[in-house]
Amino acid sequence: MAEKTKQSGSDRYNTKEPEPKKNLRKKPTSHWFRNLLLISMLGFGFMLLSYLSYLDHNVRTQFEGKRWAIPARVYASPVELYAGYNLTTVKFEALLQALHYRLDANLASEGTYFKNGSQVSVKTRAFTFWDQPQASSVMRVNFTTTGIANIVDATQTKDLAIVRLDPVQIGSLYPTIKEDRILIKLEEAPDGLIKGLLASEDRDFYQHIGISFKGIFRAIWMNVLAGHTVQGGSTITQQLVKNFYLTSERSLTRKVKEALMALILEYRYSKDEILEAYLNEIYLGQDGASAVHGFGLASEFYFGSPLKDLPLEHIASLIALVRGPSEYDPRRYAERALQRRNLVLEEMETEGYITKAQAVVTRAKALSVIANTHRSTNRYPGFIDLVKRQLKQDYKEEDLTSQGLMIFTTLDTGVQDTLEETLSKKLDQLEKLPKADDLEAAAIVTRRDSGEIAALMSGREVGSTGFNRALDAVRPIGSLIKPVVYLTALEYPDKYTITTPVSDTAITVKGTKGNDWSPKNYDHAEHGTVGFHTALSHSYNLATVRIGMDIGVARIAKTLRSMGITRPIELFPSFLLGAAQLTPMEVTQIYQTLAGDGFATPLKGIRAVVAADGARLQSYPFTVRQVLDPAVTYIINTILQEVMHEGTGRTAYASFPQNYGLIGKTGTTNDAKDSWFAGYTGDYLSVVWIGRDDNKPAGLTGATGALQVWTSLMKQISIQPVTLIPPDNIKMTWIDPANGLLANENCAGAKRYPFVAGSEPGEFSPCVDGSANEIETLINNLLPND
């Protein structure tokens, strides 16, 4: 409360607050900003260290682990050249071009050739096959009008018996990301490549710490002088980080991340390790859907030659691509690519890596890139599909698409190309016939002696990756089943032989619930009593049903399973006329067993699998087991030759010599929905199916459709006629066709037929002279062979 004091004058009364006492201690200053800054710095430092630790982990995990998923490479069967081989100079040059060989009169490097008239000089590539490595060699191949005359070793001037060329790559099995590369070691890289990269991309590579401020300033200065971008500031290490770890995003954040990872990479690994990774990782082009990475693959992609063999002008062209594979693509922008290549050579000269004279000479060279033949594209998708299916029985998907395996297959690119051309041409012709439209097809060609698949078409459209009709189209096989019916019957020689009379007359098979079956012949006629062989060669349905019902459907189905068919079979009487539905591959397996004289050989598309380091992982050897009586198989093959001479396949001999020994069988299903033909020569077996995907009538029989394709194809690829060799227990016996009894060559119309020893007729035809000498001679001829 204010204190009142008595005063004089106007200030008589004065209200006054008491004076506070002075605080002798200093009030403390606030440090909240400094503390906040310190905490922020510590937090940022922690986050930076955590981020760097994260980046370091990523860098080390990928760099020290499995760096690349290398796709498996799939190769065709290698071509083996020898004197007498049926190959013209035109086809040989086409083969060399398919192998990416380059024209070079000097044969300066592997994978080059030069043609001079009827002689072709070749420097082959070194190649590691599944059975042995093969060194590069120089040879001269001399041709006649019909094929190879001889092959001469150009270094030793001596004839070579046989030469195996490196195989054509027909495809690759890719991981999810379609990248391809051929890995190389740093010591394998040409000296010109390393020096060219340093001169063009990173002159201070062996001095900087991952980023180069000197390089950045130099690039800026050079770009200012040129008025456009001629140099980049990124180091080789930064380029590796960008290709190896990061996306193509362009942002400041990504550039910072790139710089930090470059620093980490340089801290963790040596310069040589970084450079080797760069050589294998850098993106250098696009081959269809797959990216071309690394100088190893780029060398083959652009120049068809191993990297170690490239001349300086080609090396400089590859280095030029680093700045932009699309912008400097030598196939699309030749002039631009040439200018960039020459700039690389100038930079190499400036740095003292090459002399001025070398630079002048090299700049005058042409680009000389090979045509882009899409080496990594799966050109034969139907066959590649088969290969994948067979591989998956032994390998995981990851192994097939990331381990760099080498898959050696059985495909013959010559036969495959011929099949594709023939099928396309013939289907176009067939569609001009009434009711034959929207046709589809499938075809398989095997080597008769081994069961190796030489060619396969899964559909009409070449290159289509859709439905694989050769492997998956399950269709009624019609009369192709008949040889199995007759073969089973012949296993009972006391009932059936090649000349046994059979009835081709109407028959009704009783079914359950009143579902009786009354089959008809294709010509709707009955042919009475005919010989066993005639019933098959003319494909009589009524005779076939009678034989089949007598033997039993179950027994015939058992024979079919023994020939390699694992699919469940419904045992209905209609099975006897081909109601059973099989794929073209399964039909091929049946006829491969017949072509193998009763020995089953599993069909295969792969010969061997080799690891990236050359180690042999898997082989697919020739396997065979006897499943049919060779004598019975011989008789069936003899009748199938009659099919081609006198029966439903006789039109084939308009294209073949009469003594070629063709063996085959036509097949037609109800309403002509399916046209089949299966047959073989001495060297190849082929199965052809033609029909419609919607299962509507195709308007073609086996003879008017599939046989026409088969004949045209085999005429082009086959060079060996059929020579059937009878087993020891087969007796060739003269038979009188009028009565089926024993005869001799003097009997009118007599023919020799094969019989299992002991099953031949026991009575003589009246045409035989009854003298003791004649009969004794006949009896001696009937005795088994020694």
Side-chain angles (χ1 to χ4, degrees):
M1 184 175 178
E3 181 183 356
K4 293 183 179 179
T5 59
K6 192 176 182 178
Q7 293 184 0
S8 62
S10 61
D11 294 326
R12 186 173 180 178
Y13 296 93
N14 184 30
T15 304
K16 186 177 182 182
E17 293 288 336
E19 186 177 345
K21 295 182 179 180
K22 292 183 178 180
N23 190 352
L24 299 178
R25 290 183 302 172
K26 202 171 184 182
K27 190 175 180 180
T29 305
S30 175
H31 297 295
W32 67 269
F33 180 75
R34 183 185 63 187
N35 293 341
L36 180 61
L37 182 62
L38 180 60
I39 292 172
S40 298
M41 290 177 64
L42 288 174
F44 177 77
F46 176 77
M47 291 175 63
L48 179 61
L49 287 175
S50 298
Y51 185 60
L52 288 174
S53 177
Y54 164 75
L55 292 180
D56 179 64
H57 174 74
N58 283 352
V59 167
R60 288 187 293 108
T61 299
Q62 188 163 346
F63 202 85
E64 295 174 6
K66 183 174 173 29
R67 296 181 189 174
W68 297 285
I70 309 298
R73 289 182 172 79
V74 185
Y75 295 96
S77 179
V79 173
E80 295 182 334
L81 307 176
Y82 51 87
Y85 184 59
N86 184 24
L87 186 71
T88 65
T89 53
V90 173
K91 289 187 176 180
F92 183 50
E93 189 170 14
L95 171 62
L96 293 175
Q97 290 171 356
L99 287 168
H100 302 278
Y101 276 56
R102 294 182 298 107
L103 272 172
D104 182 357
N106 298 319
L107 302 182
S109 62
E110 294 180 16
T112 54
Y113 75 98
F114 181 70
K115 182 179 177 182
N116 183 17
S118 60
Q119 183 182 88
V120 180
S121 299
V122 183
K123 186 170 186 178
T124 66
R125 296 193 188 103
F127 193 85
T128 301
F129 290 93
W130 65 92
D131 52 355
Q132 64 180 8
Q134 181 173 286
S136 172
S137 64
V138 180
M139 62 180 182
R140 292 192 297 270
V141 185
N142 296 300
F143 291 85
T144 64
T145 55
T146 57
I148 295 177
N150 68 329
I151 307 171
V152 179
D153 184 328
T155 56
Q156 302 181 21
T157 319
K158 65 175 184 179
D159 283 358
L160 297 171
I162 191 167
V163 174
R164 183 161 59 179
L165 295 177
D166 50 305
V168 175
Q169 183 180 337
I170 58 173
S172 299
L173 307 182
Y174 288 99
T176 304
I177 300 175
K178 284 198 168 184
E179 294 182 355
D180 200 1
R181 52 177 56 78
I182 294 176
L183 297 182
I184 60 170
K185 300 284 188 183
L186 181 61
E187 57 267 23
E188 297 171 350
D191 185 58
L193 175 61
I194 304 302
K195 290 177 177 178
L197 281 171
L198 296 179
S200 176
E201 297 301 319
D202 195 348
R203 299 177 186 178
D204 306 316
F205 174 70
Y206 281 100
Q207 286 77 44
H208 62 62
I209 59 172
I211 56 176
S212 173
F213 297 104
K214 179 180 177 183
I216 293 172
F217 291 134
R218 182 195 305 117
I220 293 173
W221 177 247
M222 294 299 293
N223 293 340
V224 169
L225 290 179
H228 60 280
T229 302
V230 294
Q231 277 195 13
S234 295
T235 64
I236 281 178
T237 312
Q238 287 176 280
Q239 291 181 43
L240 175 59
V241 167
K242 181 174 64 176
N243 279 265
F244 203 49
Y245 298 100
L246 304 177
T247 66
S248 57
E249 173 197 3
R250 292 191 176 188
S251 67
L252 179 60
T253 303
R254 204 221 68 175
K255 289 298 292 182
V256 171
K257 186 176 181 180
E258 175 188 299
L260 291 175
M261 294 182 81
L263 292 171
I264 292 170
L265 204 60
E266 290 273 355
Y267 175 75
R268 290 289 186 185
Y269 306 103
S270 70
K271 291 287 186 179
D272 284 352
E273 287 177 299
I274 293 170
L275 185 56
E276 182 176 276
Y278 177 86
L279 295 177
N280 290 300
E281 173 59 23
I282 192 68
Y283 171 67
L284 295 172
Q286 196 72 26
D287 184 13
S290 64
V292 176
H293 283 262
F295 288 93
L297 181 60
S299 174
E300 296 194 0
F301 179 63
Y302 291 105
F303 300 107
S305 179
L307 184 61
K308 63 183 178 65
D309 291 332
L310 286 191
L312 181 58
E313 64 269 18
H314 292 167
I315 290 173
S317 292
L318 294 183
I319 296 171
L321 290 166
V322 172
R323 290 297 173 85
S326 298
E327 184 178 1
Y328 298 108
D329 186 339
R331 296 190 179 103
R332 297 178 60 195
Y333 308 111
E335 186 59 33
R336 191 186 300 168
L338 188 64
Q339 292 175 0
R340 178 63 195 163
R341 183 204 72 176
N342 289 344
L343 180 59
V344 171
L345 293 169
E346 289 178 13
E347 290 171 330
M348 292 181 71
E349 180 190 351
T350 300
E351 292 299 305
Y353 292 138
I354 59 175
T355 65
K356 183 176 182 179
Q358 284 178 298
V360 170
V361 171
T362 309
R363 281 197 297 268
K365 298 288 183 68
L367 288 175
S368 301
V369 292
I370 62 173
N372 187 358
T373 52
H374 294 292
R375 68 170 56 240
S376 57
T377 298
N378 294 332
R379 182 164 177 253
Y380 309 114
F383 182 80
I384 294 294
D385 183 29
L386 167 70
V387 170
K388 287 180 181 178
R389 297 189 196 193
Q390 294 188 346
L391 286 172
K392 286 180 180 178
Q393 297 175 17
D394 301 304
Y395 295 92
K396 297 178 182 178
E397 179 73 21
E398 180 184 354
D399 296 333
L400 293 176
T401 59
S402 66
Q403 299 295 331
L405 302 179
M406 301 171 68
I407 315 298
F408 293 96
T409 74
T410 61
L411 186 83
D412 185 321
T413 56
V415 175
Q416 177 72 31
D417 292 342
T418 302
L419 172 59
E420 291 180 357
E421 293 167 6
T422 302
L423 196 59
S424 176
K425 180 179 178 181
K426 283 295 180 181
L427 287 181
D428 287 344
Q429 293 176 358
L430 291 173
E431 285 187 332
K432 295 176 182 179
L433 298 175
K435 300 181 181 180
D437 58 356
D438 296 326
L439 298 177
E440 262 299 348
I444 299 171
V445 182
T446 68
R447 296 178 179 90
R448 183 191 168 195
D449 60 349
S450 65
E452 293 180 336
I453 298 173
L456 181 150
M457 280 200 70
S458 60
R460 181 174 186 172
E461 184 179 350
V462 176
S464 171
T465 56
F467 181 56
N468 194 327
R469 295 169 186 82
L471 306 183
D472 300 324
V474 183
R475 308 284 294 215
I477 65 171
S479 295
L480 292 187
I481 195 65
K482 289 177 181 175
V484 183
V485 176
Y486 286 73
L487 186 147
T488 308
L490 287 173
E491 291 178 344
Y492 300 89
D494 56 329
K495 297 184 69 173
Y496 292 100
T497 69
I498 191 170
T499 58
T500 298
V502 293
S503 174
D504 186 62
T505 55
I507 180 174
T508 297
V509 180
K510 297 294 183 180
T512 58
K513 299 180 181 179
N515 296 322
D516 296 346
W517 180 50
S518 300
K520 304 292 182 184
N521 278 326
Y522 183 77
D523 59 3
H524 297 282
E526 298 178 26
H527 304 95
T529 301
V530 297
F532 183 92
H533 61 93
T534 302
L536 176 55
S537 64
H538 288 78
S539 202
Y540 292 154
N541 290 340
L542 301 178
T544 302
V545 171
R546 287 182 176 277
I547 293 171
M549 293 305 296
D550 180 46
I551 295 298
V553 174
R555 288 176 176 172
I556 297 165
K558 182 180 178 181
T559 300
L560 192 65
R561 284 191 288 270
S562 73
M563 299 172 80
I565 302 304
T566 58
R567 182 185 301 276
I569 298 170
E570 295 182 343
L571 302 181
F572 296 124
S574 57
F575 163 79
L576 300 171
L577 297 183
Q581 299 191 46
L582 300 176
T583 66
M585 178 65 84
E586 290 170 324
V587 171
T588 305
Q589 184 65 73
I590 295 171
Y591 279 81
Q592 186 69 44
T593 305
L594 291 176
D597 300 321
F599 290 85
T601 303
L603 303 179
K604 64 177 183 178
I606 307 170
R607 283 182 173 169
V609 179
V610 177
D613 61 1
R616 186 169 179 172
L617 299 179
Q618 185 86 17
S619 61
Y620 297 80
F622 174 73
T623 59
V624 63
R625 62 187 179 90
Q626 184 177 340
V627 297
L628 302 174
D629 182 345
V632 171
T633 308
Y634 176 85
I635 295 172
I636 287 296
N637 280 329
T638 300
I639 300 175
L640 293 180
Q641 285 184 323
E642 187 177 319
V643 169
M644 303 303 289
H645 270 294
E646 304 171 17
T648 56
R650 61 187 178 276
T651 59
Y653 273 108
S655 301
F656 282 91
Q658 289 295 310
N659 61 349
Y660 213 77
L662 298 175
I663 294 175
K665 183 70 184 77
T666 55
T668 310
T669 61
N670 290 342
D671 301 322
K673 293 179 179 179
D674 301 273
S675 171
W676 289 92
F677 189 83
Y680 38 99
T681 60
D683 42 7
Y684 291 108
L685 177 150
S686 305
V687 171
V688 178
W689 167 84
I690 298 175
R692 289 174 53 131
D693 285 340
D694 59 10
N695 204 33
K696 291 181 179 179
L700 299 169
T701 66
T704 60
L707 175 59
Q708 304 306 308
V709 175
W710 185 92
T711 303
S712 179
L713 169 68
M714 298 296 267
K715 176 63 177 176
Q716 297 175 77
I717 66 174
S718 176
I719 59 173
Q720 292 180 16
V722 178
T723 302
L724 291 178
I725 300 175
D728 291 342
N729 61 334
I730 283 289
K731 293 301 298 183
M732 298 301 298
T733 305
W734 287 97
I735 297 294
D736 184 348
N739 50 35
L741 300 178
L742 293 174
N744 60 27
E745 62 269 28
N746 297 320
C747 290
K751 286 186 64 175
R752 296 187 75 193
Y753 288 99
F755 290 84
V756 177
S759 67
E760 63 277 356
E763 297 182 26
F764 295 98
S765 172
C767 69
V768 176
D769 186 348
S771 68
N773 288 337
E774 282 280 359
I775 294 174
E776 182 180 0
T777 300
L778 281 171
I779 291 174
N780 288 335
N781 287 337
L782 294 175
L783 293 175
N785 295 330
D786 293 335

